[in-house]
Amino acid sequence: REALLERERSARNQAETALAEAERAQGRIERLLASITDGFIALDHQWTIIYVNAQGAGLVGGIPTDYLGRNL
């Protein structure tokens, strides 16, 4: 029983560490995309806008939140 609990704790710690690293990586990518001077729009496999930087939104006269979730 102790060994099982330790394995569960270890697995949970590994999952928490992986999640924290993924969140840090996402933050770095978002800061990078926000800092570029070109317009950038990211789409998912259904052509839904999942990211747009200020320059990309400004090209069509809006702000990024105006376009998130819209389909092309």
Side-chain angles (χ1 to χ4, degrees):
R1 179 164 165 93
E2 290 290 323
L4 177 61
L5 290 175
E6 183 57 35
R7 282 195 304 267
E8 288 177 359
R9 270 190 226 108
S10 177
R12 185 174 45 249
N13 286 343
Q14 288 176 352
E16 289 172 353
T17 299
L19 178 60
E21 178 55 34
E23 289 171 346
R24 284 191 297 273
Q26 180 178 354
R28 288 190 301 267
I29 290 168
E30 288 177 358
R31 285 189 301 278
L32 172 69
L33 293 175
S35 72
I36 62 175
T37 58
D38 294 331
F40 183 86
I41 298 172
L43 308 169
D44 69 7
H45 66 281
Q46 295 178 331
W47 292 85
T48 301
I49 298 172
I50 59 171
Y51 180 85
V52 58
N53 67 1
Q55 293 80 358
L59 290 172
V60 289
I63 60 173
T65 55
D66 292 341
Y67 303 100
L68 293 178
R70 289 192 178 182
N71 287 80
L72 293 183

